[in-house]
Amino acid sequence: MTRVAELPTPALLVDLDRLERNIARMAAAFSGAGVGLRPHAKTSKCLEVVLRQLGAGALGMTCSTPAEVAWLQAAGVPDLLWAHAPVGPPKVAFVVEAARRGGLTVALDSPEAAAPLSAAAAAAGVEVPFVLEVNTGHARLGVDPEHVPATAASLAALPGLRLRGLLTHEGHLAAMPDRPSLEAAGRTAGALLARLADGLRAGGHAIDVVSVGSTPGATSAPFAPGVTEGRPGTYVYYDANQIRLGSCTLEDCALTVLARVVSVQRAGRPIIDAGIKAMSSDTIAAAGSVGLVGTPDVTFADANEEHGFLLDPGGRLAVGDLVRIVPNHACGTTNMWSHLYAVRGDAVEARWDISARY
């Protein structure tokens, strides 16, 4: 059996013990509360991971891109939510074709986004289920709460579309100053969405989906009374960002980049063979490093495309040494790679493809 030290570097690794533990814990928390779990596929983009999530009880998957939808539909995953606006002729045509196969719900937040999809769906004789996206604080996509009743009525009246419920991404939780504030903001976001759903039901709409989604909020927003499902993604691997937010510890982080020291020409500044093309540059500025190095007192300070600049004041590292690095953002790192190695301890058990990349 291949050992980790025998792999070519850089390499993307997933620790199977941690992966399986993360999947089981989140599934148990949601199941125990009677809330549906719909993980975000963008974190892993890996069918072997998705199948483990579904096997643990996930009701379906969340997608970010048409490529993810097409990949998972082809794999036979029956219940998909595309949490992005299907705007533009190619995306509209894609959704209409996907609607013929069934099992896809899309997110909309305005008549302008919905009208072309409505016209295409009606012309094709198909019905596209949708959720109305609501801004609960992140102010990315999503209608503001006071406009939910009017917008829902406007979109529900369009031919070819069927309103199923409400969706939010409570991404603003990541900016909270501490964990108690984060938890409180998550509960507030979930309660707001549930209250808006109750208002739509009182207005005659059939609402069966009240969907929140984030890993920082996975311990709060989904458990507000009236929320039906949560869409965390990063939890399957966790990452350095989630450590900083208090969502996990280093021992929960399943995804690492394996790199090797290639030069120590300057004392205290080893160079490794993994740069931003191995890690992604996502959140480097905010995090103050390129990732968390598993070697004590060593910092991943900077990177070029194929080179990483470490700070090693104790002179621990020598040419040829291996280091394992927890990325700042697991999702962005995954998208840099075409495959990963599934490892248990020091043993490499499998090589898994990463699909639906840009």
Side-chain angles (χ1 to χ4, degrees), residues 89 92-93 96 100 114-126 128 159-160:
V92 166
V96 170
R100 298 183 193 276
L117 181 59
S118 166
V126 300
V128 177

Side-chain angles (χ1 to χ4, degrees), residues 12-16 340-344 347-352:
L12 189 63
L13 312 181
V14 61
D15 183 303
L16 288 171
L340 57 76
Y341 295 95
V343 306
R344 201 178 300 275
V348 179
E349 292 197 359
R351 172 175 153 156
W352 293 345

